[in-house]
Amino acid sequence: MSLLTHLLACLFGIGSWVSINGLWVELPLVVPQIPEGWYLPSYLSVLIQMANVGPLFVTLMHRFRPDALNETVVIYVIIGLGAVASFLLGFFWKETVVVAGVPRSVALFVLTFFLAAVDCTSSVTFLPFMMRLKPQYLTTYFIGEGVSGLLPALVALVQGVGLVHCMNSTQTLNDTGRAATHSLQAHYQPANFSAEVFFFFLSAMMLVCLLAFLLLNYHPSVAREHPNARYNNGVKESRRKMAEQRPMMDPYRPENPERRSTFGTGYYSWMQVFYIFVILAWVNALTNTVLPSVQSYSCLPYGNNAYHLSASLAAVSNPLACFIAMFIPIRSLVFMGALTAVGSAVGAYIMAMAVLSPCPLLVNDTSGGAVIVLAWILFILSLSYVKVIIGVILRDEGHSALVWCGAVVQLGSLLGAVTMFPLVSVYDYFSSGDPCNTKCP
């Protein structure tokens, strides 16, 4: 296998979600300087789900007019749009417009919608494009997709985003200045560089993704890695059949298995296909929207260090799971279900701690912070492995299967967001812990 192709596939995968992931980790710097304040995450969640109009359009076109949609052109357009939107965000994210007498960050909302449309649409275009390469490179792509969350987090860590210092604060009873109470207040540390520089970095990463995509299409050494040189865009039935060749990563699949369904190669029955897609939707709902929306509630009561460790190590766990799947690809559907159950059980513990916030279990014990950090690592590690294995399985079922894979990923994320938005933002079901003043019995 070509190391260059592995590198390009990884860089291509980084461009899939780096913009939105970067925007999320930059929120502690953005929020204090815009009129929406901490309501911004709720607005962003709605905008990101509205942007699913992009993958919906691509999926419908693939289903009803497959010959009319040029996959390569769509990818060029969305990567270019992502680079431009990230660049403009560096100039206009603080600009406001008065709407109904209230200042609103209209430019931020519009540009975020375009970034979300780019990243959401990548789920139904980037994955099918990887059909042009040998199956081994799909796992490398997933590593890049995991790094798209890790890289902005590391840059934000260098930037100093979200670092809190607990400082003494004195409150007075009256105008005489007599001290009444002393308490600790959380103060955010000034960033090492501005949000504008961070957004320009995101734009540069999208340009790197664009360069990687160009080389994946035209570099001679990459062309030698194509399973079949005549495969083009996955729209002609004869070419599609060539691309849907017997997988290289599953030596245990029979040479000529009996067709059990009309899905892909027919290797899986419709019940098994339904099972795979249900797990895919469930796993993406948990990892993309449900648990991330309550991460601060589950971790902050244990202290700021526990929160930052859980966020950083969880970001590392995603590409680590992809790396493990590259060498140990266990494709058993039973194992997939068991691992999903383990990850879901750990996720249930995390959710329980978020519900109990600001006084979760072991809040006054050092072991409590260690347990919640380990829980986040195991949660992301197990379910990220499941996502990669499902992607590898569906890759072997053909181009169309990967399009539906991307669509179900977005559907799961949408259902998770629709479920959590009212609980977190409307009904205030969760209570946040103060990293400096958590007082529990």
Side-chain angles (χ1 to χ4, degrees), residues 374-420:
L374 289 174
W376 271 100
I377 293 173
L378 183 58
F379 169 72
I380 296 296
L381 197 64
S382 57
L383 297 191
S384 294
Y385 184 91
V386 171
K387 287 194 286 185
V388 175
I389 294 303
I390 291 178
V392 171
I393 288 174
L394 294 179
R395 188 265 173 220
D396 295 337
E397 298 305 307
H399 181 274
S400 178
L402 283 182
V403 174
W404 286 110
C405 174
V408 172
V409 165
Q410 293 306 121
L411 176 62
S413 301
L414 172 62
L415 293 177
V418 169
T419 302
M420 294 306 297

Side-chain angles (χ1 to χ4, degrees), residues 124-435:
V124 292
T125 51
F126 285 22
L127 269 177
F129 172 81
M130 293 305 295
M131 276 294 300
R132 304 189 181 195
L133 303 175
K134 293 176 182 177
Q136 291 88 337
Y137 296 110
L138 182 62
T139 307
T140 310
Y141 167 83
F142 277 115
I143 292 176
E145 193 175 82
V147 173
S148 72
L150 172 62
L151 189 60
L154 292 178
V155 174
L157 196 62
V158 174
Q159 187 183 16
V161 169
L163 295 180
V164 174
H165 290 291
C166 297
M167 301 179 63
N168 286 319
S169 176
T170 302
Q171 296 179 342
T172 57
L173 284 173
N174 49 42
D175 296 336
T176 63
R178 181 180 299 173
T181 59
H182 296 273
S183 62
L184 292 175
Q185 286 190 348
H187 291 268
Y188 283 101
Q189 178 177 305
N192 295 323
F193 53 87
S194 66
E196 287 84 352
V197 173
F198 186 85
F199 290 134
F200 293 148
F201 160 75
L202 295 181
S203 180
M205 290 309 303
M206 292 303 297
L207 292 177
V208 169
C209 174
L210 179 60
L211 178 61
F213 183 61
L214 279 167
L215 294 176
L216 283 173
N217 278 287
Y218 298 110
H219 197 283
S221 67
V222 177
R224 291 194 294 269
E225 298 297 324
H226 289 201
N228 191 296
R230 289 185 292 169
Y231 180 85
N232 182 29
N233 205 34
V235 296
K236 297 293 185 67
E237 187 63 29
S238 60
R239 294 177 182 178
R240 185 181 301 168
K241 289 179 179 178
M242 294 176 191
E244 291 172 352
Q245 58 182 352
R246 181 174 174 268
M248 296 175 61
M249 297 181 67
D250 188 9
Y252 304 105
R253 179 180 288 200
E255 286 284 350
N256 296 301
E258 179 184 352
R259 289 186 65 88
R260 304 178 190 177
S261 68
T262 56
F263 180 80
T265 63
Y267 180 75
Y268 296 101
S269 67
W270 281 115
M271 185 61 69
Q272 289 174 319
V273 171
F274 179 75
Y275 168 80
I276 290 171
F277 278 125
V278 166
I279 287 183
L280 182 64
W282 172 256
V283 165
N284 279 279
L286 291 183
T287 57
N288 294 348
T289 51
V290 174
L291 269 299
S293 65
V294 298
Q295 185 168 22
S296 61
Y297 299 105
S298 67
C299 299
L300 274 180
Y302 297 102
N304 197 56
N305 286 337
Y307 175 66
H308 279 283
L309 276 175
S310 66
S312 302
L313 295 179
V316 173
S317 300
N318 191 326
L320 177 60
C322 302
F323 189 75
I324 293 172
M326 177 182 291
F327 297 100
I328 314 175
I330 304 174
R331 300 156 63 104
S332 165
L333 298 186
V334 175
F335 177 77
M336 182 195 303
L339 196 57
T340 301
V342 170
S344 300
V346 176
Y349 173 81
I350 294 172
M351 180 61 74
M353 296 307 101
V355 171
L356 293 174
S357 176
C359 296
L361 299 178
L362 302 174
V363 67
N364 296 318
D365 197 317
T366 306
S367 62
V371 170
I372 197 67
V373 171
L374 289 174
W376 271 100
I377 293 173
L378 183 58
F379 169 72
I380 296 296
L381 197 64
S382 57
L383 297 191
S384 294
Y385 184 91
V386 171
K387 287 194 286 185
V388 175
I389 294 303
I390 291 178
V392 171
I393 288 174
L394 294 179
R395 188 265 173 220
D396 295 337
E397 298 305 307
H399 181 274
S400 178
L402 283 182
V403 174
W404 286 110
C405 174
V408 172
V409 165
Q410 293 306 121
L411 176 62
S413 301
L414 172 62
L415 293 177
V418 169
T419 302
M420 294 306 297
F421 179 78
L423 295 179
V424 175
S425 303
V426 178
Y427 299 111
D428 295 324
Y429 190 73
F430 299 91
S431 300
S432 180
D434 188 329

